[in-house]
Amino acid sequence: MNKILIVGGGYAGLYTARGLERLLGESEAEITIVDPLPYMQYLPFLPEVAAGSIEPRHAIVPLRRHLSRTRVVQAKVTGVDHASKVATIQPEVGEASTIEYDVLVMTAGSVSRTFPIPGVADEAIGMKTIEEAVAVRDRLISNFAKAAQLPAGPERDRLLTTVVVGGGFAGIETIAELRDLATHLLSRFPEIAFDDVKFHLVEAMGRIMPEVSEQTALWVVDDLRKRGVDVHLETQLQSALEGVVELSTGERFGSDLIIWTAGVMANPVVRTTDLPLDDRGRITALPTLQVARDGVVVPDAWTAGDVSAVPDISKTPGPGGFCVPNAQHAVRQAKLLAKNIAAVIRGDAPREYIHDNQGAVAGLGLWNGVFQKGKIAIKGPLAWLAHRGYHGLAMPMWERKLRVFGDWIGGFFLGRDIAEISQREQPREAFETFASRPKPKVDA
């Protein structure tokens, strides 16, 4: 019986576990997956969750529902000693414990990468988790409600100003979807005019979306500007102290919603292991997805997804010759990873990961999108349909796919849902306000 420990329950972890369940019999392997969250998040849907097009719970996959033979442990991994094949875990409640294993799979994913810019840690929010996407949606809608009651002035302007830092796919889809939501909200808030609402995209490079051609990227910039988005290229965020945004161009304005999407980095959990890392903190690996130290395989250690530095040996390799951190690589690597682990356990040789780029597709709000594959570029409604079709089918599990498609169909006939429940962050406030309390005792 091989004890297989999977660290991380994201896209790569979920698909690896499911693959191992199918490929290995109960007498061959005992599978354990450890993650602080009990669900996998489909990150490409976060902008649509923020825009209210998808119900938040439908963009996640509960691990316990869809992993029938895998033991799910909801805890943080605080250390891995692969030399001894022991991992230390810390649950939210209770004492730390250890898990012994025979085979280690590191699929811990990535987290938002930030820089020490004043105010960012205190004022900004990411777009890397389902909780962040829901909070952004609630904040935008509640800010409209607050601003509608205020006279013209700095406070009203601050509430109606949204800033997105980062011009990659995550940043572009986020600002496009939120701009689309804000335009829709104008019909519900007659006190607010189109020109009152400000959106700023801040990108340090001279162009956006490096995965598409420069011509396509210029079209997206022009489309955003036509819709009222101020696109700041070759511009850096200098400060966000107390919600006041200062740019390297000298511009300065207040904002109550600052969203950081300027890159990701490997989950810091890898620094608590004795596995080899590259200069960017990723686990070094071979194209077979085996962990390797200076090109030499580390026995019984595997990795995939954003946390790994997997050489890209395709015809069009990614930056630096490695696979870029995205969902397309994570799911494909995970499927091969499960097959390779099963092959090695049975005495066969693992295969190398070689991918065929299926292109890049992005949603830019309702009925608008962009698709790029090689020299072929499609823009507008057709690309938007391709975006929804691709990601709708790429969403893991048919019951989840059906829920997502149900959201889209419902939105088509019923309109966009603009309900916000930001008070969920203080769920006991109403109860505490009106709850009866014991009267203070009076001295005899």
Side-chain angles (χ1 to χ4, degrees):
M1 175 73 72
N2 290 278
K3 295 181 179 179
I4 302 176
L5 175 64
I6 302 174
V7 179
Y11 219 146
L14 171 66
Y15 268 89
T16 299
R18 280 181 59 81
L20 291 172
E21 287 185 349
R22 289 194 301 266
L23 296 169
L24 298 176
E26 293 186 20
S27 62
E28 291 182 282
E30 177 185 289
I31 308 165
T32 300
I33 191 167
V34 182
D35 194 289
L37 299 174
Y39 50 79
M40 169 240 147
Q41 307 175 84
Y42 190 69
L43 301 185
F45 278 158
L46 295 188
E48 288 205 54
V49 170
S53 297
I54 296 176
E55 158 67 30
R57 291 178 302 165
H58 299 167
I60 62 176
V61 179
L63 299 178
R64 287 184 173 86
R65 174 167 183 172
H66 294 283
L67 294 176
S68 58
R69 283 180 41 217
T70 299
R71 178 191 173 208
V72 177
V73 178
Q74 194 171 335
K76 292 181 179 179
V77 173
T78 56
V80 175
D81 183 359
H82 188 63
S84 303
K85 294 189 174 180
V86 174
T88 304
I89 65 170
Q90 177 62 62
E92 186 175 355
V93 179
E95 300 295 327
S97 61
T98 59
I99 297 179
E100 296 181 355
Y101 62 84
D102 299 309
V103 178
L104 176 68
V105 180
M106 291 295 296
T107 54
S110 59
V111 299
S112 295
R113 180 194 63 184
T114 59
F115 305 103
I117 300 172
V120 166
D122 299 317
E123 302 292 339
I125 187 172
M127 187 55 71
K128 198 74 174 65
T129 68
I130 197 73
E131 294 83 3
E132 289 174 325
V134 174
V136 165
R137 176 174 178 265
D138 285 345
R139 176 72 67 86
L140 181 68
I141 298 172
S142 66
N143 280 357
F144 263 67
K146 295 172 184 176
Q149 309 304 317
L150 294 176
E155 179 62 15
R156 191 174 192 267
D157 293 342
R158 185 183 70 86
L159 290 170
L160 295 176
T161 299
T162 299
V163 179
V164 175
V165 183
F169 261 71
I172 295 302
E173 289 190 295
T174 296
I175 200 164
E177 291 285 356
L178 293 180
R179 174 68 261 190
D180 199 50
L181 171 60
T183 301
H184 175 78
L185 289 175
L186 294 175
S187 63
R188 308 297 179 182
F189 292 91
E191 306 91 342
I192 301 174
F194 183 89
D195 291 337
D196 294 338
V197 183
K198 305 296 183 184
F199 277 82
H200 296 270
L201 176 71
V202 181
E203 168 54 46
M205 305 299 291
R207 59 162 294 180
I208 62 169
M209 302 170 73
E211 297 88 348
V212 303
S213 68
E214 186 172 358
Q215 183 179 5
T216 300
L218 290 173
W219 179 88
V220 174
V221 169
D222 186 55
D223 180 72
L224 289 174
R225 284 175 172 160
K226 288 178 180 177
R227 294 159 61 189
V229 176
D230 290 321
V231 180
H232 307 267
L233 299 178
E234 296 184 325
T235 304
Q236 295 178 339
L237 177 65
Q238 301 284 64
S239 174
L241 284 173
E242 298 181 352
V244 178
V245 173
E246 295 184 17
L247 304 180
S248 56
T249 57
E251 293 178 78
R252 192 171 184 270
F253 48 84
S255 173
D256 193 57
L257 183 53
I258 304 169
I259 306 168
W260 182 275
T261 66
V264 298
M265 65 178 185
N267 193 319
V269 68
V270 299
R271 302 171 193 167
T272 68
T273 74
D274 55 354
L275 300 175
L277 307 179
D278 69 358
D279 56 356
R280 294 178 59 183
R282 302 173 298 181
I283 300 173
T284 54
L286 300 180
T288 56
L289 307 176
Q290 293 168 292
V291 176
R293 190 186 306 273
D294 298 325
V296 179
V297 171
V298 176
D300 302 319
W302 303 79
T303 187
D306 294 1
V307 80
S308 62
V310 177
D312 189 346
I313 58 177
S314 67
K315 295 180 182 178
T316 54
F322 294 98
C323 297
V324 297
N326 62 24
Q328 190 175 135
H329 280 302
V331 65
R332 294 181 180 187
Q333 289 175 359
K335 291 179 178 179
L336 177 63
L337 179 54
K339 294 177 181 177
N340 280 352
I341 293 174
V344 170
I345 287 177
R346 293 168 178 168
D348 297 324
R351 294 189 292 112
E352 292 184 331
Y353 174 71
I354 305 176
H355 78 100
D356 177 24
N357 192 342
Q358 293 183 341
V361 62
L364 303 176
L366 290 177
W367 302 104
N368 195 17
V370 62
F371 169 81
Q372 179 94 45
K373 182 174 174 60
K375 296 181 179 180
I376 301 174
I378 303 174
K379 311 173 187 73
L382 190 59
W384 177 80
L385 289 172
H387 168 265
R388 285 204 162 179
Y390 172 80
H391 284 296
L393 294 175
M395 179 72 188
M397 313 311 154
W398 274 104
E399 64 97 5
R400 292 286 134 173
K401 298 181 202 292
L402 293 174
R403 293 179 192 274
V404 169
F405 278 106
D407 290 339
W408 288 335
I409 294 170
F412 179 79
F413 288 103
L414 303 175
R416 191 193 297 267
D417 187 348
I418 63 168
E420 65 93 4
I421 49 173
S422 53
Q423 286 299 109
R424 76 192 186 288
E425 297 178 8
Q426 297 87 28
R428 296 189 66 252
E429 182 177 357
F431 180 81
E432 287 183 277
T433 300
F434 301 104
S436 298
R437 303 178 185 277
K439 293 182 179 180
K441 293 182 179 180
V442 179
D443 293 337

